Amino acid sequence: MTDAQKTAADTTLRATGDSPPDPRPAPVPLLEPREGIPPVTATDEALAEIVAAFAAGTGPVAVDAERASGYRYGQRAYLVQLRREGAGSALIDPVGCPDLSALGEAIGDAEWVLHAATQDLPCLRDIGMVPTRLFDTELAGRLAGFARVGLGAMVENVLGFALEKGHSAVDWSTRPLPEPWLRYAALDVELLVDLRDALEEELTQQGKLEWARQEFAAIAAAPPPPPRKDPWRRTSGMHKVRRRRQMAVVRELWTARDQVAQRRDVSPGKVLGDAAIVEAALSLPPNSHALAGLPGFGHRMGRRQLEQWQAAVDRARALPESELPQPGQPLNGPPPPRAWADKDPVAAARLSAARTAVTALAESLHLPQENLITPDTVRRLCWEPPAEPTQESVAEVLSGHGARPWQIEQVAPILTEALLTDAG
């Protein structure tokens, strides 16, 4: 970090907010690449040079990835950005270089610095890049109590530089990538290690560095999430669909759309909108002519497409009752909290007391409630508490639900007290 960056960090770092101390702050300088924009690596030969350079580098490695969410099917990476002391910055095209396992191995022993790591790790894993140690600057910002934890806000607030904006939601599958986009991408890792160092210092001063280390270790060790069961149930507007036959239409249309989107490698929403799926389910059109009159199936849609969607509706209409989907999903855990008062008033009282206690403790520690302990963990504990609530038995339950040691240390006492609350 330069002297200017250190000065900016010292004067702007704040644990519980991001208001500058000077009511008339000087304009924030726009960040510039230190070595210019690196060329995009898209061949095996160029990749081998990058691997060697980063293997020879020192210290943490800043890592970022750009996807084409909303444009392409799935969440694959279309650009990977890295920076390391002694190696400089690199931009790698995973389309031209789809296997980055050699690079992952070259930096495997280093600490990877990412911002919002859980967003990028799945697509990095798909191309062979899996960290053993990491530092998540967004999560560090949350634990440190920053009000705004986006990368741009963090870099500006902590290091005193403004990042260029405007290209985060572009179609990164575009080839060739425009120069302004590449500049934006390169700057995302320019100061990531500097940000990491400043946040580590702040967490140390707050006595939260060990908390952060436990969180980072949990992220690095987490296995890939299992495929979501019945993903069609997450269709936007699904709450309007009440009857099982209508649900079957949503399921058939969602599945048909997903197959088309995957085959064409485009975002499902660009094939057919969720609102159109719900309209078809509610209307149950008897033929493609009726379907064409529904919102989302307008005049721009060709006859073949209409027939394709109508075939899905017809399949749902023809299903026997026994094959229709059941309303709602099988519960894996407690019922929705709104139902607790009727089902178990004592549990509802426990939950209310627990929520109040967690809120107060999170505020006193200057961090979000969900980072102190997940709401799902609190619900599960309050719905099925240990037979004899003690700090030890509560700690055991929390650990079984994945709570980290620092979280257990903080919340076990207050949750034990909440479990002793009765309905009166």
Side-chain angles (χ1 to χ4, degrees), residues 17-40:
D18 48 19
S19 298
D22 186 348
R24 295 165 298 172
V28 179
L30 191 65
L31 182 62
E32 297 288 345
R34 280 174 265 193
E35 299 104 16
I37 303 173
V40 177

Side-chain angles (χ1 to χ4, degrees), residues 234-252:
R234 296 176 64 86
T235 302
S236 180
M238 190 68 190
H239 63 281
K240 303 176 185 176
V241 182
R242 304 290 187 182
R243 292 157 45 196
R244 294 174 63 200
R245 183 73 60 185
Q246 295 172 333
M247 293 179 186
V249 173
V250 173
R251 182 176 63 185
E252 291 294 334

Side-chain angles (χ1 to χ4, degrees), residues 9-274:
D10 290 342
T11 58
T12 60
L13 189 58
R14 290 292 177 272
T16 58
D18 48 19
S19 298
D22 186 348
R24 295 165 298 172
V28 179
L30 191 65
L31 182 62
E32 297 288 345
R34 280 174 265 193
E35 299 104 16
I37 303 173
V40 177
T41 298
T43 66
D44 291 341
E45 293 77 14
L47 178 61
E49 296 180 8
I50 295 295
V51 170
F54 275 79
T58 59
V61 183
V63 183
D64 191 22
E66 306 294 348
R67 299 175 298 279
S69 303
Y71 297 94
R72 295 288 183 174
Y73 185 87
Q75 294 295 316
R76 66 169 294 183
Y78 282 95
L79 188 70
V80 175
Q81 308 100 279
L82 303 98
R83 184 175 179 85
R84 190 180 197 185
E85 185 70 28
S89 295
L91 301 177
I92 303 175
D93 179 3
V95 177
C97 301
D99 182 3
L100 299 187
S101 55
L103 177 59
E105 292 171 5
I107 59 175
D109 293 334
E111 178 188 78
W112 296 20
V113 184
L114 303 100
H115 192 80
T118 54
Q119 295 183 21
D120 287 341
L121 288 178
C123 69
L124 290 171
R125 183 184 292 113
D126 289 343
I127 53 179
M129 297 186 65
V130 183
T132 56
R133 294 187 295 131
L134 62 83
F135 190 107
D136 186 332
T137 50
E138 184 200 48
L139 182 51
R142 292 182 184 278
L143 294 175
F146 281 86
R148 297 185 299 153
V149 293
L151 181 58
M154 294 291 288
V155 168
E156 181 173 335
N157 185 39
V158 177
L159 301 178
F161 285 91
L163 290 178
E164 291 188 4
K165 303 175 182 178
H167 301 304
S168 61
V170 299
D171 181 2
W172 288 96
S173 68
T174 300
R175 292 298 182 271
L177 286 165
E179 188 272 344
W181 299 11
L182 296 175
R183 177 187 177 87
Y184 166 91
L187 290 175
D188 271 359
V189 293
E190 184 81 13
L191 293 181
L192 206 50
V193 173
D194 297 326
L195 179 60
R196 171 237 179 270
D197 292 343
L199 289 171
E200 181 179 66
E201 181 178 347
E202 179 65 23
L203 288 168
T204 299
Q205 292 177 0
Q206 294 188 31
K208 297 177 179 177
L209 183 58
E210 177 56 28
W211 301 3
R213 286 173 174 163
Q214 291 180 26
E215 293 298 308
F216 301 156
I219 294 173
R228 181 174 282 123
K229 181 178 174 60
D230 291 346
W232 58 269
R233 291 184 185 271
R234 296 176 64 86
T235 302
S236 180
M238 190 68 190
H239 63 281
K240 303 176 185 176
V241 182
R242 304 290 187 182
R243 292 157 45 196
R244 294 174 63 200
R245 183 73 60 185
Q246 295 172 333
M247 293 179 186
V249 173
V250 173
R251 182 176 63 185
E252 291 294 334
L253 282 171
W254 189 98
T255 302
R257 179 184 70 174
D258 194 67
Q259 292 170 348
V260 172
Q262 188 169 8
R263 185 175 68 249
R264 291 170 48 191
D265 189 20
V266 296
S267 170
K270 289 187 174 296
V271 175
L272 186 67
D274 281 9

